[in-house]
Amino acid sequence: MRFSRKLDVIGVHAEGEVGDVVVSGVLDVPGETMYDKMIHMWSTNDQIRQLLLNEPRGRSSMCTNLILPPCNPKADAGFLIMESEEWVPMSGSNTICTVTALLETGMLKMDEPETKVVLDTAAGLVTVTASCENGKCKSVEFENAPSFVFGLDVPVTVPGLGTLKVDIAYGGMMFAFVDVSAVGLRLEDHYENGTKLVELGERVKKAVREQSMPVHPENAAIRGVTNVVFTTPLTTDPLRDCKVTKNATVVMPGRLDRSPCGTGTCARMAVLHARGLLSVGESWINKSMIDTEFTGRIVRTTKVGEYDAIVPAVKGRGWITSFKQVVLDPEDPFPEGFRVGDAWGPPNLGLKEGVFRAYKEGRQG
Ligand SMILES: O=C(O)[C@H]1NCC[C@@H]1O
């Protein structure tokens, strides 16, 4: 049988969020940076993302990562991140999944008890420290690109919800943070509130994008809020002597992140630091809707353009779940997979075009 596509994929999840890793079957693409490579893949080879993430091979609640040679000589490996609606510059759960796969399959040498890895991503270099024991990656801590706040208590008028105060921050992607009590819900039960949280999150996201369009000062193609996080206030867990909170992160195409969301954790740290609620060096625990945990820590402060910023670190665990070969039969009627409205929201029209336009303008300087 001759297949049109054959990909070797490692199934992985990080604190519940699936981030499979493509380790062979895709050749390198041109690009001075991984962001260039991301745009190249998105514009010329997006069929891979569609094939892997759309049904029948994929589902709305998953992501997939693509291992490619790095551009930066300081990096041990490069990887690009595919999500349901877009290729994204950076992702916490996907970084943890990718490092777990690279180390536990020997693609990168594992040192015990600690392995240092430098990854080249579309958001730049990411330094990783993995705690390893008996061939297992026990935890992965990544130091993310700088995170910063665009605005605190930004008024946003949302249909049916009146005017909400949202915090807007960047942590590898753009986030809007809303106190879940402001929408009259609680985070205790994802069976009871999950669908409602997603519907409200998508409504808030649409309103925020219509009323505010933050642009990353160092990359104009990184623009606009794409995820909404419903938050609860920080409390202190006396048994763990640590600040703790829970969140529900609504990601595209309209579903809950199964992990606490690493980039969202980074952006939240920028907000907590700006509000004087988290200090440099202080750790805190961010829980997901299924009570899995990321531990966040502010490494140091910095600047991004005119913005006061922090360098965040996030730690979590990943587990390999499968080794699979994904193929495309040339007679398959769905070479880019398909979607059905019971599990997918409407396509996010204009997102790709907006990113490409900004990228082209940015390249033209
Ligand atoms: O942890 C994160 O940052 C990712 N989780 C799924 C969506 C985000 O990219």
Side-chain angles (χ1 to χ4, degrees):
M1 177 73 200
R2 183 190 70 78
F3 292 111
S4 307
R5 187 66 82 174
K6 177 176 168 296
L7 304 166
D8 289 310
V9 182
I10 302 174
V12 197
H13 79 85
E15 304 294 352
E17 177 71 7
V18 170
D20 289 354
V21 182
V22 179
V23 293
S24 82
V26 181
L27 295 175
D28 194 11
V29 295
E32 292 173 13
T33 67
M34 293 306 286
Y35 198 91
D36 293 336
K37 288 191 178 182
M38 183 187 84
I39 295 291
H40 190 284
M41 286 298 296
W42 200 350
S43 54
T44 65
N45 209 351
D46 197 41
Q47 186 262 347
I48 286 178
R49 184 181 65 86
Q50 309 266 10
L51 181 75
L52 291 168
L53 292 178
N54 288 338
E55 297 175 51
R57 296 166 190 80
R59 60 179 190 272
S60 61
S61 60
M62 71 178 281
C63 311
T64 297
N65 304 280
L66 173 61
I67 303 296
L68 287 177
C71 295
N72 190 315
K74 296 177 184 172
D76 301 299
F79 78 108
L80 296 179
I81 305 159
M82 296 173 268
E83 299 195 0
S84 299
E85 297 293 343
E86 56 179 340
W87 297 70
V88 297
M90 179 53 191
S91 164
S93 60
N94 284 298
T95 298
I96 294 168
C97 289
T98 300
V99 171
T100 300
L102 289 171
L103 292 178
E104 293 190 5
T105 63
M107 287 183 74
L108 286 180
K109 180 176 177 295
M110 179 186 282
D111 297 317
E112 296 187 11
E114 192 175 82
T115 306
K116 295 281 190 184
V117 174
V118 178
L119 294 174
D120 201 3
T121 78
L125 286 182
V126 172
T127 54
V128 175
T129 302
S131 298
C132 306
E133 183 182 327
N134 298 327
K136 172 76 185 110
C137 209
K138 303 290 281 184
S139 70
V140 175
E141 183 180 65
F142 66 91
E143 188 174 296
N144 194 5
S147 304
F148 54 94
V149 172
F150 282 101
L152 296 175
D153 296 324
V154 177
V156 176
T157 303
V158 183
L161 296 176
T163 298
L164 297 179
K165 288 186 177 178
V166 306
D167 297 333
I168 299 176
Y170 174 78
M173 290 197 283
M174 298 277 193
F175 292 84
F177 295 92
V178 182
D179 187 318
V180 72
S181 62
V183 295
L185 289 178
R186 299 170 67 243
L187 295 187
E188 271 54 39
D189 186 337
H190 58 80
Y191 291 110
E192 181 184 335
N193 290 332
T195 305
K196 186 67 179 166
L197 284 165
V198 167
E199 190 278 320
L200 289 175
E202 288 297 288
R203 205 191 311 173
V204 169
K205 181 175 73 177
K206 183 173 183 295
V208 171
R209 287 183 68 88
E210 288 166 353
Q211 299 167 43
S212 169
M213 186 49 72
V215 178
H216 193 291
E218 295 173 351
N219 184 342
I222 300 177
R223 57 196 301 116
V225 165
T226 53
N227 308 292
V228 170
V229 184
F230 290 107
T231 63
T232 57
L234 276 179
T235 59
T236 297
D237 182 335
L239 298 178
R240 301 171 76 171
D241 189 26
C242 189
K243 290 175 180 173
V244 181
T245 185
K246 187 164 186 167
N247 86 90
T249 299
V250 182
V251 297
M252 285 192 278
R255 56 102 177 175
L256 294 178
D257 190 333
R258 271 66 175 145
S259 81
C261 189
T263 47
T265 298
C266 294
R268 182 84 188 277
M269 278 192 262
V271 170
L272 293 172
H273 185 256
R275 290 184 177 280
L277 297 174
L278 195 69
S279 306
V280 173
E282 189 177 6
S283 293
W284 66 299
I285 292 169
N286 198 9
K287 291 188 173 187
S288 71
M289 286 295 280
I290 58 171
D291 285 324
T292 52
E293 299 181 354
F294 281 158
T295 300
R297 168 172 71 88
I298 298 175
V299 178
R300 61 184 180 274
T301 57
T302 184
K303 294 282 280 189
V304 176
E306 79 278 8
Y307 294 98
D308 291 330
I310 62 158
V311 174
V314 171
K315 180 162 64 174
R317 303 163 301 169
W319 292 271
I320 290 177
T321 56
S322 61
F323 293 88
K324 47 193 173 185
Q325 288 190 329
V326 178
V327 300
L328 173 59
D329 179 328
E331 295 177 14
D332 188 322
F334 302 107
E336 298 192 350
F338 61 84
R339 298 185 172 193
V340 183
D342 62 337
W344 301 82
N348 218 303
L349 301 177
L351 178 79
K352 175 177 176 179
E353 289 67 24
V355 170
F356 282 28
R357 186 167 50 251
Y359 173 76
K360 190 176 177 183
E361 289 164 3
R363 297 292 285 178
Q364 289 164 352

